[in-house]
Amino acid sequence: MAYDDLRSLLRALEREGDLKRIKAEVDPYLEVGEIVDRVNKAGGPALLFENVKGASMPLAMNVYGTDRRLLKALGLTAYEEISEKIGGLLKPELPQGFVGIREAFGKLGSMVHVPPKKVKQEAAPVQEVVLTGDDVDLDMLPALFTWPEDGGSFFNLGLTHTKHPETGVRNLGLYRLQRHDKRTIGMHWQIHKDSRNHYAVAAKRGERLPVAIAFGCPPAVTYASTAPLPGDIDEYLFAGFIQGKRIEMVDCKTVPLQVPANAEVVIEGWLEPGEMLPEGPFGDHTGFYTPQEPFPALTIDCVTMRKRPLLQSIVVGRPPTEDGPLGRATERFFLPLLKIIVPDIVDYHLPESGGFHNCAIVSIDKKYPKHAQKVMHAIWGAHMMSLTKLIVIVDADCDVHNLHEVSWRAFGNTDYARDLTVVEGPVDHLDHASYQQFWGGKAGIDATAKWPEEGYTRDGGWPAMVESDPDTAERVTKRWKEYGL
């Protein structure tokens, strides 16, 4: 089962020697970022900086920096455990006999405990300390100035809570947050994000929007904030599904929102219509700086926290970084859902080097001419997969996670005059390569074996791949020790 809060996970990691306490004073201006980036790229441990210059609380970093730690945090041994669980719920076959009835009830039972559970404020650890008025000072929180050309100090793992002003449907999202001053935060809400839509609706109605930002949340909640869920799916329902039990929530002190009761720190405030400030530049997960743009500026009225709080953040930049395991979890978790939209897919891979959303490698069981092109366009129409810039389609016998195998197919199985599809469409808000913001060119590569019906009419047809003789391969395997190799 997943960990209920961040600090219990940190204790477990420390017992296993997978957390390092840094007692020396460290500077949040560039120094912390340099340390964390080196440790992450070396596959090193989670870090707890106990003495951050200018801050009043420790800083936990690189907590989810390896697949092992993220799996442990979510109570899993493999990401496929969740994808198989989701796949099972998506296939509710009619019960047959006693065993079938038991299986059906088992599936229903797995959903009973997942809606969030409200607890009283006096029982919420995150509200042990409440600061309002002149006591609110964001400088007590260790914000990071990570890269030399950043426009200021940022909180990179604050989970932002909003709700639609008309429907009341809440949203949980993960956005970078620039600390403008002691009571003001810049909200980097990209054009495709639900919270941006909530703010736009509120502004149109002439209303201010309540916002709550939680730090150091239960691991399943932190992951759920990154998941590309449709707007009508509650992230807390999904977090409970992953965690295996209901997430405990508490009413905020000054805004009409709920936050995780077991978070470490929560900041509460209101966004006034039209209140904007320049935000950025920022060295983002693309590995490049994103430019300065105007974004909503949130005024903080209240800070709640545990008696001995700690803050959690991450460092992003040139991959690999800590968001790599989070991206791999999303890739695996959402395969069954993507197959519902595009059932032709056998498997897919979103390489971290492509920022996960820029490239998709997809295998299909090819059944008709131009099947690959059909799948490309279906993916470009599938929710947030619409932002994918490059799609490589391979046959089902290709391991999409083996980039050497994929590149061999893509480099050798393609006639780019016929097998390259170029289109235009939406791209990520942060994409710097498009010649204008928000849309640009995309490409699809058909690296499958070509059929005569697709115009491949050379004598002998598509050639067979070189493979070992099965009998010889088996004999050599049995005699391997004899060779002394």
Side-chain angles (χ1 to χ4, degrees):
M1 191 171 289
Y3 285 82
D4 289 342
D5 62 6
L6 173 64
R7 55 182 58 197
S8 62
L9 170 62
L10 296 181
R11 286 194 295 266
L13 293 177
E14 187 169 30
R15 287 194 299 269
E16 297 173 357
D18 204 10
L19 179 141
K20 175 68 176 177
R21 291 178 180 267
I22 310 295
K23 299 184 182 295
E25 184 183 67
V26 292
D27 196 331
Y29 179 82
L30 299 179
E31 185 178 13
V32 170
E34 181 69 19
I35 295 168
V36 173
D37 193 50
R38 291 189 189 190
V39 171
N40 174 268
K41 286 177 168 52
L47 302 173
L48 185 62
F49 295 97
E50 297 183 333
N51 187 6
V52 182
K53 184 178 180 180
S56 65
M57 62 188 69
L59 177 65
M61 300 291 298
N62 202 35
V63 177
Y64 306 130
T66 65
D67 291 303
R68 191 196 85 83
R69 284 200 294 276
L70 181 57
L71 287 167
K72 180 179 180 64
L74 300 179
L76 305 172
T77 58
Y79 296 131
E80 284 72 19
E81 290 179 36
I82 294 296
S83 57
E84 290 170 2
K85 192 175 177 183
I86 292 173
L89 291 171
L90 293 173
K91 298 177 181 178
E93 290 102 8
L94 291 173
Q96 294 186 7
F98 175 77
V99 174
I101 293 174
R102 185 176 61 190
E103 290 177 351
F105 274 102
K107 292 177 181 179
L108 291 174
S110 69
M111 297 296 290
V112 169
H113 54 262
V114 297
K117 173 185 177 182
K118 182 180 176 180
V119 299
K120 296 180 179 179
Q121 289 184 329
E122 55 268 24
V126 76
Q127 293 181 349
E128 291 172 341
V129 177
V130 180
L131 304 176
T132 58
D134 292 339
D135 292 331
V136 173
D137 183 358
L138 297 178
D139 287 343
M140 72 174 68
L141 308 180
L144 298 180
F145 195 114
T146 305
W147 303 109
E149 301 301 321
D150 281 355
S153 297
F154 291 81
F155 302 109
N156 294 331
L157 206 61
L159 310 191
T160 300
H161 300 71
T162 61
K163 65 180 180 180
H164 194 286
E166 295 173 345
T167 67
V169 174
R170 71 173 153 217
N171 181 67
L172 173 67
L174 178 60
Y175 318 107
R176 75 182 193 228
L177 307 161
Q178 183 171 354
R179 185 177 63 192
H180 291 306
D181 58 42
K182 292 183 178 183
R183 291 192 59 189
T184 311
I185 292 282
M187 311 299 298
H188 187 264
W189 285 343
Q190 300 166 37
I191 190 172
H192 304 104
K193 303 300 184 181
D194 292 322
S195 289
R196 180 185 176 114
N197 178 52
H198 292 180
Y199 177 63
V201 172
K204 187 175 182 180
R205 291 161 58 100
E207 300 173 355
R208 57 183 188 164
L209 183 75
V211 178
I213 303 170
F215 298 90
C217 294
V221 176
T222 298
Y223 169 72
S225 72
T226 73
L229 295 169
D232 57 348
I233 302 297
D234 186 1
E235 285 85 3
Y236 278 98
L237 185 70
F238 190 56
F241 178 76
I242 294 172
Q243 181 169 286
K245 68 176 184 178
R246 301 168 70 180
I247 306 294
E248 293 187 346
M249 308 285 289
V250 65
D251 289 336
C252 289
K253 289 290 186 178
T254 62
V255 294
L257 297 167
Q258 292 183 336
V259 290
N262 290 322
E264 293 287 332
V265 178
V266 170
I267 58 178
E268 304 174 8
W270 295 84
L271 276 173
E272 301 291 341
E275 288 287 334
M276 311 282 278
L277 285 175
E279 193 270 358
F282 180 71
D284 220 314
H285 70 275
T286 61
F288 294 87
Y289 288 99
T290 51
Q292 186 179 86
E293 294 182 75
F295 278 97
L298 175 68
T299 300
I300 306 303
D301 297 321
C302 178
V303 178
T304 73
M305 62 183 74
R306 293 180 180 235
K307 288 180 179 178
R308 298 178 61 188
L310 57 90
L311 203 77
Q312 183 183 9
S313 190
I314 62 173
V315 166
V316 296
R318 295 172 65 172
T321 59
E322 186 176 347
D323 55 1
L326 294 168
R328 284 188 286 277
T330 291
E331 176 195 284
R332 292 296 91 195
F333 289 176
F334 284 83
L335 176 59
L337 297 177
L338 186 58
K339 282 186 173 183
I340 293 296
I341 302 171
V342 191
D344 316 71
I345 292 175
V346 173
D347 198 1
Y348 80 133
H349 177 46
L350 307 175
E352 182 178 1
S353 54
F356 295 104
H357 64 271
N358 283 328
C359 176
I361 301 165
V362 180
S363 60
I364 63 171
D365 183 10
K366 188 171 178 177
K367 291 182 167 58
Y368 46 82
K370 298 297 181 181
H371 194 170
Q373 285 74 8
K374 181 260 190 184
V375 172
M376 293 174 197
H377 291 286
I379 291 172
W380 281 321
H383 192 45
M384 295 305 291
M385 294 295 289
S386 64
L387 304 180
T388 307
K389 294 205 296 182
L390 175 64
I391 300 175
V392 181
I393 307 292
V394 295
D395 287 305
D397 63 347
C398 179
D399 179 2
V400 294
H401 306 282
N402 184 334
L403 295 184
H404 181 80
E405 171 80 4
V406 171
S407 59
W408 175 64
R409 305 280 183 121
F411 297 162
N413 271 12
T414 48
D415 175 348
Y416 289 108
R418 293 173 176 261
D419 302 331
L420 177 66
T421 299
V422 178
V423 299
E424 291 181 337
V427 297
D428 186 72
H429 189 128
L430 303 179
D431 192 291
H432 65 279
S434 56
Y435 281 57
Q436 62 290 304
Q437 199 171 27
F438 306 134
W439 65 274
K442 301 160 176 287
I445 297 175
D446 178 1
T448 63
K450 306 308 182 301
W451 294 6
E453 296 89 339
E454 295 174 301
Y456 189 86
T457 56
R458 292 174 59 176
D459 290 344
W462 195 261
M465 286 189 292
V466 174
E467 301 280 359
S468 295
D469 173 64
D471 293 337
T472 303
E474 183 179 0
R475 185 169 69 254
V476 167
T477 298
K478 291 179 179 179
R479 297 191 59 196
W480 193 255
K481 290 183 179 180
E482 294 182 42
Y483 306 142
L485 297 175

